[in-house]
Amino acid sequence: MAVRPGLWPALLGIVLTAWLHGSGAQQSATVANPVPGTNPDLLPHFLVEPEDVYIVKNKPVLLVCKAMPATQIFFKCNGEWVRQVDHVIERSTDDSSGLPAMEVRINVSRQQVEKVFGLEEYWCQCVAWSSSGTTKSQKAYIRIAYLRKNFEQEPLAKEVSLEQGIVLPCRPPEGIPPAEVEWLRNEDLVDPSLDPNVYITREHSLVVRQARLADTANYTCVAKNIVARRRSASAAVIVYVDGSWSPWSKWSACGLDCTHWRSRECSDPAPRNGGEECRGTDLDTRNCTSDLCVHTASGPEDVALYVGLIAVAVCLLLLLPVLILVYCRKKEGLDSDVADSSILTSGFQPVSIKPSKADNPHLLTIQPDLSTTTTTCQGSLCPRQDGPSPKFQLANGHLLSPLGGGRHTLHHSSPTSEAEDFVSRLSTQNYFRSLPRGTSNMTYGTFNFLGGRLMIPNTGISLLIPPDAIPRGKIYEIYLTLHKPEDVRLPLAGCQTLLSPIVSCGPPGVLLTRPVILVMDHCGEPCPESWSLRLKKQSCEGSWEDVLHLGEEAPSHLYYCQLEAGACYVFTEQLGRFALVGEALSVTATKRLKLLLFAPMACTSLEYNIRVYCLHDTHDALKEVVQLEKQLGGQLIQEPRVLHFKDSYHNLRLSIHDVPSSLWKSKLLVSYQEIPFYHIWNGTQQYLHCTFTLERVSPSTSDLACKVWVWQVEGDGQSFSINFNITKDTRFAELLALESEGGVPALVGPSAFKIPFLIRQKIITSLDPPCSRGADWRTLAQKLHLDSHLSFFASKPSPTAMILNLWEARHFPNGNLSQLAAAVAGLGQPDAGLFTVSEAEC
């Protein structure tokens, strides 16, 4: 049917009106409305219809319609016609049929969708006209895509026995479109098609049918859609094996003592990954009979032997009261002997300090006694192998070595049965026997009331045992141990992060009459408004407890902490296992990361690896990496840098740039590498690093110049400019040379302290009593910038002793006694002789 040109607009209006009034309910499929009396074959049919689409962030989406034959196409969205100016129209003619075709496009913005968000879904539909009528396309729904940050359920850490089933639940964050879920095992994708022992349920839980040792790993649930990719907190799964005894060996031959024995081992299987040790003994002995035993037991010589043994036993019983009386008298005389100045001043070199005031010429001055040989007393300090039975050992058989040719000597009896029983009980405790003696991360020594100091070299970890912290008459073997995070299960809740090493001092449960001071590094930027810091201690049952909330300490509390920029000083009257944990209160909370670049010291192939470590800015973490790289044959190739890592959920990125393509080529297939946020923030994973692999074009290439960037997304960053010769350059090797901290790892008695004992006692006696003119311990604390701890010092029997103990912990081994002398002299004490030690006293 032909239509005159003048009648076409009127016809179009009539058809449009008829469609508006007669379209009825909304349709989701193509619908045709022919004009009566026209050829239905000439109704528009759609070549392209709009499809469902998602808006990602703020990027508008494009909807397209194409129909033939068509003279007009308009979009209608949520019941309203889209303005004509918002349409982009392309007209064409089909070559085969000669019919008119039309393509129309519109953009839909996020703002348009948000206007109806929550009321109904936003949809759009095309309407096409021809001379025979109208056709409506299917509806296309436009949704705003998103993926929330928080998982509805995250996997939790588990400890399971071998062959037990494991179920790790995961409910991904809410999102549109719904998130797809995958699992990572130690950052490797878990593929159930390759491992029939695992499968993923419809609810996204990861199921391990039978746990194997190889299943011990960190598991992470990953949710992703077109908007983002989210990672859950990693769940550590530990598959342990309880130990079981091997069969008993055959009985040994009957010995001369008429006994024989048999043994077994806890190796069938041996305990693994924290599994329980075998219960019972590994050695079994019993009496036996043989011709030799029968013959020797019946001889007359044995009768005489037994009579003699009985006589000796009777004599010992008669002598026992006498020995006890002698021991008690010697014990009573010990205090007066120890008070002797030659004993108290032995073990450290006499010091001579210039007074800060002209009227105090003898302030903190000790004249050397050239006639006396100085001896350092260290007890049993060297690492040793545990014997089959615990023995009480002291150097030279005495608590202190001889003190030279002077008239003063320290009389001390052999170790009493009480002390032997104590050490015997101590060595049988599992807590103490399991410690890795002889390793570089442990030290121990034998101490009495004179106190001392333990240090783990190159870790910043030490334990100060002040004088009189151990009760008089008691002798303790005390240890100090640095633990690897993977060896100690420290649970961290929410956004908590480990800021310090995990350190043990013990044995736990020993009686202390004064607080000891545990010193350890931390990597938090101390800011009270940004952090909630807690000191955690492991109980005897193995659970971790918050024993101190920094900033909310009670003066009478068993624990107290002095927090400084890079170290914390923990006062404690109970030994145990400690760690400093922080929780960010705002995004300004940061951890200090030490960035280290290592590369091979000798390169024998074309490949050359640059390893970039991101570790806690603490001495112990640095020591571990340096020792690891020594084993790998690596060398430092740039000066270390510090990066401040924020609690912003953003990952750490690493990239390499400006590699000269004529000499080297990078094997990195992506623009950067990433270390996930939680791996760093958690703080329990060691040796975090990325490797950049370069390949030399020629074996003769030795010069390398490039840049390495390390940055946190929307955070701090560092850039390294590398320019050196890989075969010759060792200029950075000396930067990480590990030096010994103060000599031996254990010091006993006066040699462990900078302040001579007699001067310390005089300062304490003078400053402990309150003084109306302010010349007391409060002013000393103020001069040493410790006045924020006055309430804690005041709660102790001797506030001055607490101040001096903290000074010793902070300034050993390089403390400046002159500064301490100046602080004491500035108090205006009327009797300057209180701080003078005469030559006779020395």
Side-chain angles (χ1 to χ4, degrees):
M1 179 183 68
V3 180
R4 289 180 300 177
L7 295 178
W8 174 250
L11 178 60
L12 179 60
I14 293 171
V15 173
L16 180 58
T17 303
W19 182 85
L20 286 172
H21 290 86
S23 59
Q26 295 177 354
Q27 304 291 328
S28 59
T30 302
V31 177
N33 293 311
V35 175
T38 60
N39 185 1
D41 294 335
L42 296 180
L43 282 171
H45 66 274
F46 285 96
L47 305 177
V48 177
E49 296 187 73
E51 296 180 348
D52 295 347
V53 68
Y54 296 97
I55 294 179
V56 178
K57 297 184 178 179
N58 293 318
K59 186 177 180 180
V61 295
L62 181 68
L63 298 181
V64 180
C65 276
K66 185 175 183 180
M68 183 185 72
T71 56
Q72 291 290 339
I73 298 179
F74 284 96
F75 272 94
K76 186 179 185 182
C77 295
N78 276 63
E80 296 183 0
W81 291 101
V82 179
R83 297 183 307 169
Q84 184 174 2
V85 295
D86 294 331
H87 293 72
V88 178
I89 302 172
E90 290 186 8
R91 299 179 184 274
S92 62
T93 301
D94 185 66
D95 295 335
S96 59
S97 64
L99 296 175
M102 180 180 259
E103 180 176 309
V104 178
R105 297 186 295 273
I106 64 169
N107 285 319
V108 179
S109 67
R110 184 187 185 99
Q111 291 76 13
Q112 292 174 262
V113 178
E114 286 178 340
K115 287 181 180 179
V116 299
F117 185 74
L119 301 176
E120 56 180 319
E121 288 193 295
Y122 194 91
W123 57 268
C124 290
Q125 188 177 38
C126 286
V127 181
W129 285 268
S130 73
S131 59
S132 297
T134 62
T135 305
K136 293 182 292 184
S137 72
Q138 66 181 8
K139 289 181 179 179
Y141 289 90
I142 300 94
R143 301 177 177 92
I144 298 176
Y146 67 92
L147 184 61
R148 302 204 183 281
K149 287 187 176 181
N150 297 325
F151 280 72
E152 295 184 4
Q153 184 179 12
E154 292 186 291
L156 299 177
K158 290 181 179 291
E159 295 181 11
V160 299
S161 62
L162 193 67
E163 297 184 353
Q164 182 181 342
I166 304 173
V167 178
L168 296 176
C170 176
R171 292 170 57 195
E174 178 188 351
I176 293 179
E180 298 177 358
V181 172
E182 62 186 19
W183 284 87
L184 302 179
R185 177 197 287 128
N186 286 344
E187 301 306 309
D188 294 328
L189 183 65
V190 176
D191 188 352
S193 64
L194 301 178
D195 187 354
N197 194 43
V198 300
Y199 66 92
I200 300 175
T201 67
R202 292 182 179 179
E203 294 76 23
H204 311 300
S205 297
L206 179 66
V207 178
V208 180
R209 292 182 172 90
Q210 289 185 319
R212 305 156 296 190
L213 287 175
D215 294 320
T216 297
N218 291 318
Y219 289 84
T220 308
C221 181
V222 179
K224 60 182 180 180
N225 66 4
I226 59 176
V227 178
R229 187 173 185 264
R230 310 289 188 204
R231 295 169 57 99
S232 71
S234 294
V237 173
I238 298 176
V239 181
Y240 62 85
V241 179
D242 292 331
S244 182
W245 289 111
S246 65
W248 285 104
S249 65
K250 294 182 179 180
W251 287 101
S252 67
C254 196
L256 293 176
D257 57 350
C258 294
T259 62
H260 61 168
W261 56 269
R262 61 176 181 173
S263 64
R264 58 180 179 175
E265 296 181 349
C266 187
S267 59
D268 190 22
R272 297 279 299 273
N273 295 345
E276 289 188 2
E277 295 281 347
C278 300
R279 297 184 180 181
T281 61
D282 57 356
L283 187 66
D284 184 20
T285 61
R286 65 173 59 176
N287 294 329
C288 62
T289 57
S290 69
D291 294 340
L292 177 63
C293 287
V294 173
H295 174 73
T296 57
S298 60
E301 296 84 358
D302 292 313
V303 176
L305 175 63
Y306 294 150
V307 173
L309 290 175
I310 294 173
V312 171
V314 172
C315 292
L316 290 176
L317 288 174
L318 294 175
L319 287 174
L320 183 60
V322 179
L323 294 175
I324 293 176
L325 180 61
V326 172
Y327 167 73
C328 293
R329 288 182 176 178
K330 287 188 175 183
K331 184 176 179 182
E332 291 175 356
L334 180 61
D335 292 349
S336 59
D337 288 338
V338 172
D340 199 302
S341 62
S342 67
I343 295 173
L344 293 174
T345 56
S346 68
F348 62 91
Q349 295 297 330
V351 296
S352 179
I353 301 173
K354 294 183 179 180
S356 59
K357 289 189 176 181
D359 56 348
N360 291 331
H362 301 291
L363 181 65
L364 285 180
T365 302
I366 297 181
Q367 300 297 329
D369 183 0
L370 302 179
S371 63
T372 303
T373 303
T374 300
T375 305
T376 301
C377 313
Q378 298 179 3
S380 56
L381 303 177
C382 300
R384 60 179 183 270
Q385 299 296 327
D386 288 329
S389 62
K391 295 183 179 180
F392 187 85
Q393 298 180 355
L394 290 175
N396 300 329
H398 296 278
L399 178 63
L400 297 178
S401 302
L403 297 176
R407 64 181 180 86
H408 305 293
T409 57
L410 175 63
H411 301 285
H412 198 285
S413 63
S414 299
T416 64
S417 59
E418 176 188 357
E420 291 177 349
D421 290 343
F422 169 76
V423 175
S424 177
R425 292 195 308 272
L426 177 64
S427 62
T428 58
Q429 295 179 12
N430 291 333
Y431 192 101
F432 189 73
R433 294 179 65 187
S434 62
L435 291 170
R437 294 194 172 203
T439 67
S440 61
N441 287 336
M442 180 187 178
T443 181
Y444 56 98
T446 304
F447 302 90
N448 70 346
F449 72 94
L450 293 175
R453 187 187 306 261
L454 291 173
M455 296 171 290
I456 302 178
N458 305 304
T459 64
I461 299 170
S462 64
L463 181 70
L464 178 73
I465 307 167
D468 289 323
I470 297 176
R472 298 194 175 221
K474 297 290 185 181
I475 300 174
Y476 295 160
E477 186 178 35
I478 296 179
Y479 61 82
L480 182 66
T481 304
L482 167 64
H483 299 276
K484 293 183 178 180
E486 61 266 25
D487 296 336
V488 178
R489 300 161 197 164
L490 173 61
L492 297 175
C495 296
Q496 288 183 336
T497 176
L498 180 63
L499 296 176
S500 75
I502 302 175
V503 180
S504 290
C505 54
V510 298
L511 174 64
L512 298 175
T513 56
R514 300 283 189 277
V516 298
I517 302 179
L518 176 63
V519 184
M520 52 188 180
D521 287 353
H522 71 86
C523 62
E525 282 294 299
C527 180
E529 297 80 15
S530 302
W531 286 102
S532 172
L533 300 175
R534 299 177 187 273
L535 181 69
K536 286 184 174 287
K537 180 175 182 286
Q538 192 173 28
S539 68
C540 297
E541 293 77 18
S543 61
W544 286 85
E545 303 170 347
D546 294 339
V547 295
L548 180 64
H549 188 182
L550 273 65
E552 300 180 5
E553 303 93 338
S556 59
H557 206 276
L558 291 175
Y559 309 94
Y560 198 84
C561 183
Q562 157 79 1
L563 189 70
E564 297 186 356
C568 55
Y569 302 85
V570 179
F571 291 80
T572 175
E573 297 181 27
Q574 294 183 353
L575 303 183
R577 185 171 292 169
F578 296 92
L580 183 67
V581 171
E583 184 170 3
L585 300 179
S586 68
V587 293
T588 59
T590 60
K591 294 174 62 173
R592 296 188 315 277
L593 299 184
K594 180 81 77 174
L595 306 179
L596 302 171
L597 272 64
F598 282 90
M601 190 172 296
C603 184
T604 58
S605 65
L606 293 179
E607 284 192 353
Y608 189 74
N609 294 323
I610 298 177
R611 294 180 290 274
V612 184
Y613 289 88
C614 307
L615 54 133
H616 282 177
D617 185 18
T618 57
H619 287 86
D620 63 288
L622 179 63
K623 174 184 176 181
E624 293 292 330
V625 169
V626 171
Q627 291 178 342
L628 174 65
E629 281 295 329
K630 283 185 177 180
Q631 298 173 3
L632 297 176
Q635 65 170 333
L636 189 71
I637 61 172
Q638 272 291 307
E639 290 188 17
R641 303 277 182 87
V642 173
L643 182 143
H644 292 85
F645 192 77
K646 296 192 302 183
D647 181 20
S648 62
Y649 297 97
H650 289 298
N651 297 340
L652 190 71
R653 291 182 177 176
L654 305 93
S655 61
I656 189 167
H657 304 273
D658 301 340
V659 179
S661 58
S662 60
L663 301 175
W664 300 82
K665 62 179 180 179
S666 173
K667 290 194 170 183
L668 186 65
L669 301 179
V670 293
S671 58
Y672 58 82
Q673 300 187 63
E674 269 193 340
I675 299 178
F677 168 82
Y678 285 105
H679 288 192
I680 298 175
W681 193 255
N682 182 268
T684 59
Q685 299 195 30
Q686 288 188 308
Y687 314 132
L688 285 176
H689 72 281
C690 286
T691 300
F692 295 101
T693 301
L694 305 178
E695 185 176 355
R696 292 185 285 179
V697 175
S698 167
S700 62
T701 301
S702 58
D703 292 324
L704 174 61
C706 62
K707 290 183 179 179
V708 174
W709 293 351
V710 184
W711 76 101
Q712 185 184 16
V713 179
E714 300 182 10
D716 191 19
Q718 290 287 357
S719 174
F720 295 87
S721 295
I722 299 174
N723 190 353
F724 78 115
N725 188 294
I726 65 173
T727 60
K728 302 177 182 178
D729 207 333
T730 60
R731 53 185 160 169
F732 300 105
E734 300 299 325
L735 292 178
L736 296 183
L738 298 179
E739 299 178 356
S740 178
E741 298 175 348
V744 294
L747 297 172
V748 176
S751 62
F753 306 98
K754 293 288 294 184
I755 308 171
F757 186 83
L758 289 181
I759 292 179
R760 170 190 169 90
Q761 293 303 107
K762 287 191 174 185
I763 295 176
I764 291 173
T765 304
S766 175
L767 298 186
D768 269 351
C771 180
S772 58
R773 295 179 294 106
D776 58 14
W777 63 270
R778 295 174 180 82
T779 308
L780 177 62
Q782 183 178 7
K783 287 180 174 291
L784 297 179
H785 306 291
L786 300 174
D787 46 323
S788 60
H789 309 304
L790 293 180
S791 59
F792 169 71
F793 297 145
S795 68
K796 301 303 175 184
S798 174
T800 310
M802 294 296 104
I803 296 173
L804 297 181
N805 293 343
L806 182 56
W807 187 91
E808 290 276 7
R810 296 170 69 192
H811 296 90
F812 190 86
N814 302 316
N816 191 336
L817 279 175
S818 299
Q819 295 178 354
L820 179 62
V824 174
L827 299 181
Q829 281 284 343
D831 185 5
L834 289 173
F835 308 107
T836 305
V837 178
S838 65
E839 183 175 357
E841 288 178 307
C842 291

